[in-house]
Amino acid sequence: MINNMKGINKLINCIQKSINFVTVLIIFGILVANIIIMGYFTSSYELVSYKLNNIFFLIIPLSILILILYFLCSKFNIRTKKILIFVLIFQSIFSVIWINISITIPVFDQGNVSDIAKMLLNNESNLYQNDYLVKSPHQIGIVAYLQLIYSIFGPIFIAVQYLNVVWILLITIMLYKITNIIFENEKLNKLVILLSGLFIQFIFLSTFVYGDIIGLSLSLASIYFLVKFTKKNKKYSVFVSSILIGFACLVRNNYYIFLIAEIIYLLIYACKEKKLIYLVTIILIMTIGILPSTITKIYYENKYSLELNNGVPAVLYLIMGS
């Protein structure tokens, strides 16, 4: 019996290490691809062309900057929270500046969800001539979010972009908190914060009004509270985590992959700790995780007499991206 338990524990450890390795490999691959390849978006139609960057002009200055900042933080023993505050201020200022100088307008999917949110807010009859939600019913979550924002601030697109800055700051905070609760290493915390601050794509994405930024921030917050539950045994964290991942999936259904990852994480933990509470937690997360999307769909179908069916087949999105 003891030998069997040791064998199971070894298998679980092996699975955990394999998942960690694959995750790091994927993240590293994405990072390298983002450094050496630049995507160029054609404004007249939805097509992205890719070209190779001059990686030496990108990697060398960025590496030097990271090393200098990391050295200064370590040498002068600057407190982690002071670095975090500095990075958050930096991201806030430059995101707001970028929003105001870029003066972007919503087009394509952004434009569609924004227009539909305004139509729903004004109960316009020509909404039913717009078949966007018929083709893409999964976008009802971001439509609901925009409708809520427009109902508070008016149909001002820049207000939604300013709120994007808040979600970006939440991403940075959650990356720090996840790193801290897992590794409890101040040097690593500082490095993660600095890397988040140097990820200038966040600043440029502040003008991109879609479910990606919102969903990522909520998903990371959900992961933090779930880890807090497993490491600190804070039971309330399970409910918070479930609600957060539910709303993340509502605004962008791609984040169901985070929900699946959380379930796998809990399954591994259940096998390792051999406690029934983790299996109950899985059921709880699965149930609460799908509630926001289900309730929102039913609400809009009843209130606005919409037919939110399956939409276009998912295979078409795969073909479009190939």
Side-chain angles (χ1 to χ4, degrees):
M1 182 67 177
I2 295 174
N3 290 332
N4 289 337
M5 296 299 294
K6 287 181 178 179
I8 292 171
N9 288 330
K10 284 183 179 179
L11 178 62
I12 292 170
N13 289 330
C14 181
I15 292 171
Q16 287 178 324
K17 288 178 181 179
S18 299
I19 291 172
N20 291 339
F21 176 75
V22 172
T23 302
V24 170
L25 196 64
I26 292 171
I27 293 173
F28 181 75
I30 293 171
L31 178 63
V32 171
N34 275 277
I35 291 173
I36 66 175
I37 299 173
M38 175 69 76
Y40 295 87
F41 185 76
T42 306
S43 59
S44 57
Y45 52 93
E46 293 189 69
L47 181 66
V48 181
S49 58
Y50 298 95
K51 294 181 182 179
L52 288 175
N53 284 320
N54 189 328
I55 59 174
F56 293 104
F57 285 105
L58 288 170
I59 294 177
I60 294 175
L62 188 61
S63 300
I64 293 172
L65 183 60
I66 291 172
L67 288 172
I68 291 172
L69 290 173
Y70 183 70
F71 172 77
L72 289 174
C73 292
S74 301
K75 183 73 175 177
F76 296 102
N77 196 26
I78 302 173
R79 291 180 62 186
T80 304
K81 290 189 177 179
K82 287 186 177 180
I83 301 172
L84 178 62
I85 291 170
F86 172 79
V87 168
L88 294 177
I89 293 172
F90 168 81
Q91 289 179 323
S92 301
I93 292 172
F94 282 94
S95 293
V96 170
I97 291 173
W98 174 248
I99 288 169
N100 284 277
I101 65 174
S102 61
I103 314 175
T104 57
I105 57 173
V107 294
F108 303 125
D109 285 326
Q110 288 185 86
N112 281 318
V113 293
S114 179
D115 289 343
I116 291 172
K118 293 175 185 177
M119 291 176 187
L120 289 170
L121 191 63
N122 298 325
N123 288 310
E124 294 181 15
S125 58
N126 60 342
L127 166 67
Y128 306 103
Q129 298 172 11
N130 190 323
D131 63 348
Y132 182 76
L133 282 181
V134 176
K135 295 178 181 177
S136 307
H138 58 277
Q139 301 286 36
I140 193 63
I142 188 64
V143 168
Y145 169 76
L146 291 175
Q147 185 183 356
L148 175 63
I149 302 305
Y150 290 156
S151 67
I152 299 170
F153 299 102
I156 305 170
F157 191 69
I158 198 170
V160 189
Q161 293 177 323
Y162 285 144
L163 281 173
N164 260 3
V165 180
V166 177
W167 295 116
I168 289 168
L169 299 183
L170 182 60
I171 290 173
T172 301
I173 293 169
M174 284 301 111
L175 286 172
Y176 155 66
K177 292 186 78 67
I178 290 170
T179 305
N180 184 54
I181 198 171
I182 293 176
F183 300 103
E184 298 179 349
N185 185 309
E186 285 301 302
K187 287 186 177 181
L188 189 58
N189 289 342
K190 291 176 181 178
L191 183 61
V192 167
I193 294 169
L194 289 173
L195 288 173
S196 298
L198 291 170
F199 189 72
I200 59 172
Q201 286 89 337
F202 277 151
I203 294 172
F204 297 133
L205 285 170
S206 59
T207 59
F208 183 62
V209 176
Y210 212 48
D212 301 74
I213 294 295
I214 309 163
L216 179 58
S217 60
L218 293 174
S219 296
L220 290 174
S222 174
I223 289 171
Y224 166 72
F225 281 102
L226 188 63
V227 174
K228 191 175 182 179
F229 164 68
T230 55
K231 290 181 73 73
K232 308 287 186 181
N233 197 28
K234 302 289 185 180
K235 292 182 174 58
Y236 75 90
S237 297
V238 176
F239 295 96
V240 178
S241 176
S242 303
I243 293 168
L244 289 169
I245 196 64
F247 280 102
C249 296
L250 170 65
V251 295
R252 191 78 165 118
N253 63 354
N254 296 44
Y255 289 104
Y256 275 113
I257 194 166
F258 276 75
L259 177 61
I260 294 169
E262 289 182 347
I263 291 170
I264 294 172
Y265 170 73
L266 287 169
L267 278 172
I268 294 173
Y269 225 89
C271 294
K272 185 177 181 180
E273 298 294 326
K274 299 172 183 64
K275 292 181 180 179
L276 185 62
I277 188 171
Y278 296 112
L279 296 178
V280 175
T281 303
I282 291 172
I283 297 171
L284 186 67
I285 285 183
M286 288 176 65
T287 304
I288 299 178
I290 63 173
L291 273 180
S293 298
T294 305
I295 293 171
T296 303
K297 180 176 180 290
I298 294 171
Y299 171 79
Y300 276 88
E301 283 182 332
N302 292 330
K303 183 174 177 61
Y304 298 101
S305 300
L306 296 174
E307 292 185 9
L308 301 175
N309 299 316
N310 295 326
V312 297
V315 69
L316 294 182
Y317 291 101
L318 297 175
I319 294 170
M320 182 176 66
S322 62

